[in-house]
């Protein structure tokens, strides 16, 4: 999906996807990013210690750390709240 | 327990809303298809009728052709916009097919996709609302013209009256649908606009959370 997303939405998507170790190419493909932007997002999340880099068979894998839990939960709570108190639609 | 209830209520709301939006989009497609069929039928009848020497008939045919062409163009634009929207919406709908029980992550992912879709398709949806209303006005105008012509030209025949009234009723129904469909879309648009605003506020909270955690 090439929807217009905010950077925070993309951070959340990356962190959710990297709950199991992922290659940068997998992250870029799954989150529909270009290499440059994808690398920037990953670097930011690594700098926040929300992601760790591990080397496995000459390949760098990104994994979500327990430190990201707070961000992910806050994000989910706020987004779920967007659906509270909204009208139910009828045709 | 509360979190689970919230999750279920959000999931139900989301699914219902997606189902209604999907139905609304399909109805819009059908509406546009019917309108195009009417336009083709109208042109097929009215273009050959331009050869008549009767000035009233000529005016009638000419006005019908002009209205048909305007409505046809609007219906075509409406059809394209709706098909594009439906295609993108269907992609999102298919993503969660068969996932049970639904997790909070998959619901959040769906909300992100829907918000992204709305951010991107907002101009399309606004255009659809406008185009459908204009098409509705054209149908009402057509009904008015047909009524006036029927009153002027009515000679007392039952068949003439039945076909005239039938045409007027069809135009009125199409005009009404042309107004009802965008009002339903408008409800979604208003609701999603509010969500986007609330989402922007949520972003500020998330941004400050990120800053605090550094």
């Amino acid at each position: 999906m090439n929807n217009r997303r905010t950077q925070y939405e993309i951070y959340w998507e990356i962190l959710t996807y990297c709950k199991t170790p992922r290659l940068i190419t997998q992250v870029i493909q799954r989150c529909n990013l270009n290499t440059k932007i994808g690398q920037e997002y990953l670097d930011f999340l690594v700098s926040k210690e929300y992601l760790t880099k591990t080397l496995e068979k000459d390949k760098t894998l990104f994994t979500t750390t327990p430190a990201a839990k707070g961000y992910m939960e806050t994000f989910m709570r706020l987004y779920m709240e967007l659906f509270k108190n909204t009208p139910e639609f009828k045709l | 327990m509360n979190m689970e209830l919230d999750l279920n209520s959000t999931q139900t709301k989301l699914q219902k809303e997606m189902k209604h939006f999907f139905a609304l989009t399909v109805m819009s497609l059908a509406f546009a298809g019917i309108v195009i069929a009417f336009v083709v039928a109208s042109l097929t009848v009215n273009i050959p009728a331009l050869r008549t020497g009767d000035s009233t008939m000529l005016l009638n045919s000419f006005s019908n052709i002009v209205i048909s062409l305007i409505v046809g163009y609007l219906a075509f634009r409406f059809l394209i916009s709706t098909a594009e929207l439906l295609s993108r919406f269907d992609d999102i709908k298919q993503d969660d097919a068969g996932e049970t029980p639904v997790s909070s992550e998959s619901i959040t992912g769906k909300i992100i996709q829907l918000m992204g879709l709305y951010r991107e398709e907002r101009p399309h949806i606004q255009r659809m609302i406008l185009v459908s209303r204009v098409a509705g006005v054209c149908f009402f105008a057509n009904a008015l013209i047909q009524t006036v012509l029927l009153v002027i030209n009515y000679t007392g025949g039952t068949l003439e009256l039945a076909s005239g009234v039938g045409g007027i009723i069809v135009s009125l129904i199409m005009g009404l649908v042309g107004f009802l469909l965008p009002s339903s879309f408008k409800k979604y648009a208003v609701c999603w606009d509010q969500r986007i605003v609330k989402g922007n506020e949520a972003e500020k909270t998330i941004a400050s959370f990120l800053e605090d955690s550094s």
Side-chain angles (χ1 to χ4, degrees):
Chain A
M1 279 258 73
N2 189 24
N3 285 336
R4 216 183 287 168
R5 295 160 297 168
T6 66
Q7 54 178 328
Y8 306 107
E9 290 170 351
I10 296 171
Y11 291 151
W12 182 85
E13 284 184 345
I14 293 173
L15 292 171
T16 304
Y17 185 57
C18 289
K19 277 186 167 179
T20 50
R22 307 284 185 183
L23 296 167
I24 183 170
T25 47
Q26 291 176 310
V27 175
I28 283 166
Q29 195 183 9
R30 171 65 179 248
C31 299
N32 199 16
L33 304 166
N34 67 41
T35 313
K36 188 175 170 282
I37 300 285
Q39 186 66 63
E40 280 173 18
Y41 282 127
L42 288 170
D43 288 345
F44 175 79
L45 291 170
V46 169
S47 75
K48 286 275 171 197
E49 296 177 355
Y50 287 174
L51 284 179
T52 51
K53 276 193 216 182
T54 48
L55 214 61
E56 203 174 291
K57 294 175 191 168
D58 292 339
K59 284 177 179 169
T60 307
L61 292 169
F62 292 88
T63 315
T64 305
T65 66
K69 201 181 168 198
Y71 174 81
M72 292 170 76
E73 282 182 355
T74 306
F75 185 92
M76 283 198 287
R77 182 176 49 78
L78 290 169
Y79 268 60
M80 293 265 206
E81 273 175 16
L82 296 179
F83 269 76
K84 272 187 186 166
N85 307 320
T86 53
E88 285 200 3
F89 293 100
K90 284 181 184 143
L91 287 177
Chain B
M1 184 69 182
N2 265 350
M3 178 70 185
E4 203 173 304
L5 278 176
D6 272 0
L7 194 66
N8 286 337
S9 117
T10 310
Q11 184 201 348
T12 312
K13 219 168 208 177
L14 193 65
Q15 280 176 342
K16 262 189 185 173
E17 198 174 309
M18 286 178 75
K19 219 165 97 180
H20 284 141
F21 190 78
F22 185 75
L24 190 61
T25 320
V26 171
M27 274 168 61
S28 301
L29 266 185
F31 172 66
I34 292 169
V35 171
I36 289 173
F38 271 112
V39 166
V40 172
S42 169
L43 290 176
T44 318
V45 171
N46 286 294
I47 289 175
L50 282 176
R51 282 179 296 185
T52 181
D54 183 347
S55 61
T56 316
M57 286 287 284
L58 190 69
L59 181 69
N60 181 20
S61 300
F62 189 73
S63 67
N64 280 345
I65 289 169
V66 171
I67 289 176
S68 298
L69 288 175
I70 295 170
V71 171
Y73 171 74
L74 293 174
F76 188 70
R77 290 285 304 268
F78 187 81
L79 186 78
I80 300 290
S81 293
T82 312
E84 279 173 4
L85 183 65
L86 185 66
S87 155
R88 307 218 33 205
F89 187 73
D90 198 40
D91 284 345
I92 297 176
K93 216 165 158 269
Q94 277 175 2
D95 275 356
D96 74 334
E99 194 194 330
T100 46
V102 179
S103 63
S104 52
E105 278 168 10
S106 72
I107 291 176
T108 310
K110 192 91 6 213
I111 293 171
I112 291 174
Q113 283 184 314
L114 286 171
M115 284 186 75
L117 178 76
Y118 185 72
R119 281 187 203 114
E120 203 153 285
E121 296 292 333
R122 192 176 181 277
H124 264 145
I125 293 173
Q126 297 296 338
R127 204 179 310 136
M128 279 167 68
I129 290 170
L130 181 72
V131 163
S132 181
R133 279 193 180 143
V134 174
V137 169
C138 287
F139 271 109
F140 281 133
N142 190 38
L144 187 70
I145 290 169
Q146 281 187 46
T147 310
V148 170
L149 287 170
L150 185 68
V151 170
I152 293 170
N153 300 325
Y154 183 56
T155 52
T158 317
L159 189 68
E160 188 191 351
L161 182 70
S163 70
V165 170
I168 292 165
I169 289 172
V170 168
S171 287
L172 285 175
I173 291 171
M174 294 304 281
L176 200 65
V177 175
F179 272 93
L180 286 177
L181 277 178
S183 72
S184 290
F185 272 117
K186 187 84 184 164
K187 272 188 213 161
Y188 280 96
V190 167
C191 183
W192 276 98
D193 279 340
Q194 283 171 358
R195 281 180 190 151
I196 296 290
V197 171
K198 281 184 191 167
N200 293 341
E201 286 164 15
E203 247 181 53
K204 285 176 194 161
T205 313
I206 295 164
S208 64
F209 181 90
L210 274 179
E211 275 173 28
D212 292 346
S213 69
S214 58

